[in-house]
Amino acid sequence: MELIPAPRAVEEPTGPGVPLGPDTALWAAPGTERTERWLRATLGAALNLPLRPGPPDARDGVRLLLDDTLAPEAYRLTAMAGDGVEIRGGGPAGVFWGAQTLRQLLGADAFRRAPLRPAAAPSVPAGVVEDAPRFRWRGLLLDVARHFMPKEGVLRYLDLMAAHKLNVLHLHLTDDQGWRIEIRRYPKLTEIASWRSRTKFGHRASPLWDEKPHGGYYTQDDIREIVAYAAERHISVVPEIDVPGHSQAAIAAYPELGNTDVVDTAALSVWDTWGISSNVLAPTDTTLRFYEGVFEEVLELFPADAAEFSPFVHVGGDECRKEQWTESVTAKTRIADLGLTDEEALQSWFIGHFDTWLAARGRRLIGWDEILEGGLAPGAAVASWRGYAGGIAAARAGHDVVMCPEQYVYLDHRQAPGDDEPVPIGFVRTLEDVYRFEPVPAGLTQEEARHVLGTQANLWTEVMEDSARVDYQAFPRLAAFAEVAWSPLAAPADRDYADFERRMTAHYRRLDALGVAYRPPAGPRPWQRRPGVPGRPIEGPPPNR
């Protein structure tokens, strides 16, 4: 069985499979309704299968049921001629992941939106698949702030995530270059901060510009739709509202949020280039009240009970430049009034305020590993991006950790050393490199390692101007990452990459059926290249830190 991610155990007896056709019945026990709907809407449409309701003992039918002897996301899929197909899950999510495996077993045509051969009768090969994920948090970050991804693109990525058994969408909604979520009490965030007049094309040192205005945002109903669509697929959506750095777009809309005693914030516009802006939020009560208002609406749009990790809210907290604070009388006064030592402690105080504010509302703060500096409340979690060190420090301090080290799973990094790679950024991270990534840092005790919730791949979109570029950077590496996050693989050096490549041969046909503009194994197609657009390649292996 050419399955990705690889399951824990497969039994492939000889004998006929289970034919599915117009008379195939679908029986769904209580608690499996989401998978029942998904099967009819997705497999039914792709393979011309009505999957009408029927009794559990229907010959060659499909049965969905819960089994409390299994872990919540575990499943057991059994296919036997005469007895049909049965998917047992430890919880509703387990049944859904079993249905994703069923789809793969039915071949690439099952990944289309309409039947190619309506009269053909697909068949599920006989066998038993027993499976469960290694990590609870199996995430993907989509940066929709640098280049906006319309709602339909986000929904499409939720489907791609579900097909790879990923279950957390980290939605990076705000940055210097754009604000992407409607906040009704602050209309200028969408009137002004959601678009920029032009865009740097390529790395920030590039001389090239796209002079066309760029922008877009999600209405509140768009967000509700995204969250509901994700929940149907057992995916949590974790919003990120970046503070106190990466905030020039917000300051351009509401100048009082910036350090007005240092710069003329009224003259600022939404940033049109890349890098890290020096225009950061002022550490004032005005700023705190403003963002409390933002987060009040965010909490309503992202309900805590939507999916497993829905209580989390990401606040950024990374790459906050301090030059304006060092010059600001207001900031110096705040440092003195609070009895703080310096600007680094001031940032810790700023993050700590929202840590307490969110905790009081039953939510959990998560931020990039810089938020460790100065201490965190016990319930806060850390996304370790600057290598392994932040994750190690957080786990040893008793904080939950999501491992997403830049050098290994930032999928904006280039995929090969050749000149044909479009806008080459960062280190070379091949498909095999991603497959050999190990999320749990070496040196943690067993107790400390329990704090590693899981792992996440990040798609930063400075040089990804449209969905085809996002696809190219994501795939096929996201398939390798999904196997790292789901499957109980051997140590990195001992992993059977040749077997993964063999299974990818079948998976490329699935990606083709889904319309994914992935990077082919032989290199980019002519239209995937960006000749003459400068990147920022870094030579040599990434630092192991």
Side-chain angles (χ1 to χ4, degrees), residues 220-447:
Q220 295 206 347
D221 281 347
D222 289 338
I223 293 292
R224 291 186 181 96
E225 181 181 358
I226 288 167
V227 170
Y229 194 86
E232 276 287 298
R233 287 147 183 80
H234 299 278
I235 297 173
S236 307
V237 184
V238 175
E240 181 179 356
I241 306 294
D242 227 325
V243 295
H246 289 287
S247 298
Q248 183 167 324
I251 297 168
Y254 291 92
E256 65 271 21
L257 298 176
N259 295 283
T260 56
D261 58 347
V262 178
V263 295
D264 180 9
T265 56
L268 294 177
S269 59
V270 178
W271 216 24
D272 57 12
T273 189
W274 315 125
I276 308 169
S277 172
S278 61
N279 292 295
V280 302
L281 298 174
T284 63
D285 289 343
T286 296
T287 301
L288 296 180
R289 300 294 88 76
F290 181 95
Y291 275 88
E292 287 171 1
V294 168
F295 282 119
E296 282 177 6
E297 295 194 26
V298 167
L299 297 193
E300 191 272 325
L301 295 172
F302 295 87
D305 60 355
E308 180 181 5
F309 293 107
S310 296
F312 282 92
V313 176
H314 203 295
V315 300
D318 63 316
E319 298 179 327
C320 179
R321 292 174 60 174
K322 310 297 194 301
E323 299 98 311
Q324 291 182 1
W325 285 358
T326 61
E327 298 175 29
S328 167
V329 173
T330 300
K332 291 180 183 298
T333 302
R334 177 68 90 176
I335 289 171
D337 289 347
L338 294 170
L340 303 175
T341 54
D342 55 18
E343 289 77 17
E344 299 293 338
L346 184 62
Q347 178 177 346
S348 178
W349 164 81
F350 196 107
I351 295 297
H353 173 86
F354 288 103
D355 192 356
T356 302
W357 190 91
L358 288 166
R361 288 154 181 81
R363 298 304 188 98
R364 292 187 66 184
L365 178 144
I366 184 170
W368 303 112
D369 52 59
E370 287 96 327
I371 69 171
L372 280 167
E373 297 156 8
L376 279 177
V382 170
S384 184
W385 76 275
R386 295 180 298 177
Y388 285 109
I392 293 170
R396 287 178 175 167
H399 294 288
D400 287 340
V401 180
V402 176
M403 295 303 302
C404 47
E406 174 188 17
Q407 312 93 313
Y408 303 98
V409 289
Y410 270 34
L411 300 185
D412 48 313
H413 283 217
R414 58 196 173 127
Q415 303 189 60
D419 293 337
D420 287 341
E421 289 304 307
V423 198
I425 298 294
F427 297 103
V428 172
R429 294 287 82 192
T430 66
L431 182 63
E432 183 172 359
D433 290 331
V434 174
Y435 190 68
R436 297 192 188 280
F437 164 60
E438 173 49 50
V440 178
L444 293 183
T445 67
Q446 189 173 12
E447 183 62 32

Side-chain angles (χ1 to χ4, degrees), residues 124-315:
V124 184
V128 179
V129 180
E130 295 190 357
D131 205 3
R134 180 185 178 192
F135 293 108
R136 290 167 53 207
W137 184 301
R138 306 178 301 279
L140 174 68
L141 176 143
L142 276 181
D143 169 17
V144 297
R146 271 52 174 269
H147 278 101
F148 178 63
M149 179 179 283
K151 179 194 70 177
E152 285 301 316
V154 177
L155 299 179
R156 172 176 175 264
Y157 259 82
L158 287 166
D159 282 330
L160 290 172
M161 290 175 65
H164 292 84
K165 299 185 174 73
L166 299 174
N167 70 338
V168 180
L169 173 63
H170 175 173
L171 207 52
H172 183 77
L173 289 163
T174 73
D175 217 296
D176 299 308
Q177 296 86 2
W179 184 284
R180 307 296 178 211
I181 180 172
E182 178 188 23
I183 302 297
R184 288 179 175 164
R185 74 187 72 183
Y186 304 129
K188 291 180 183 178
L189 289 173
T190 45
E191 293 168 4
I192 295 173
S194 70
W195 69 277
R196 55 182 181 266
S197 61
R198 64 175 187 168
T199 299
K200 176 70 71 171
F201 194 27
H203 181 254
R204 61 179 175 269
S206 168
L208 305 177
W209 294 89
D210 180 351
E211 297 293 346
K212 181 177 65 179
H214 178 85
Y217 65 91
Y218 308 111
T219 67
Q220 295 206 347
D221 281 347
D222 289 338
I223 293 292
R224 291 186 181 96
E225 181 181 358
I226 288 167
V227 170
Y229 194 86
E232 276 287 298
R233 287 147 183 80
H234 299 278
I235 297 173
S236 307
V237 184
V238 175
E240 181 179 356
I241 306 294
D242 227 325
V243 295
H246 289 287
S247 298
Q248 183 167 324
I251 297 168
Y254 291 92
E256 65 271 21
L257 298 176
N259 295 283
T260 56
D261 58 347
V262 178
V263 295
D264 180 9
T265 56
L268 294 177
S269 59
V270 178
W271 216 24
D272 57 12
T273 189
W274 315 125
I276 308 169
S277 172
S278 61
N279 292 295
V280 302
L281 298 174
T284 63
D285 289 343
T286 296
T287 301
L288 296 180
R289 300 294 88 76
F290 181 95
Y291 275 88
E292 287 171 1
V294 168
F295 282 119
E296 282 177 6
E297 295 194 26
V298 167
L299 297 193
E300 191 272 325
L301 295 172
F302 295 87
D305 60 355
E308 180 181 5
F309 293 107
S310 296
F312 282 92
V313 176
H314 203 295
V315 300

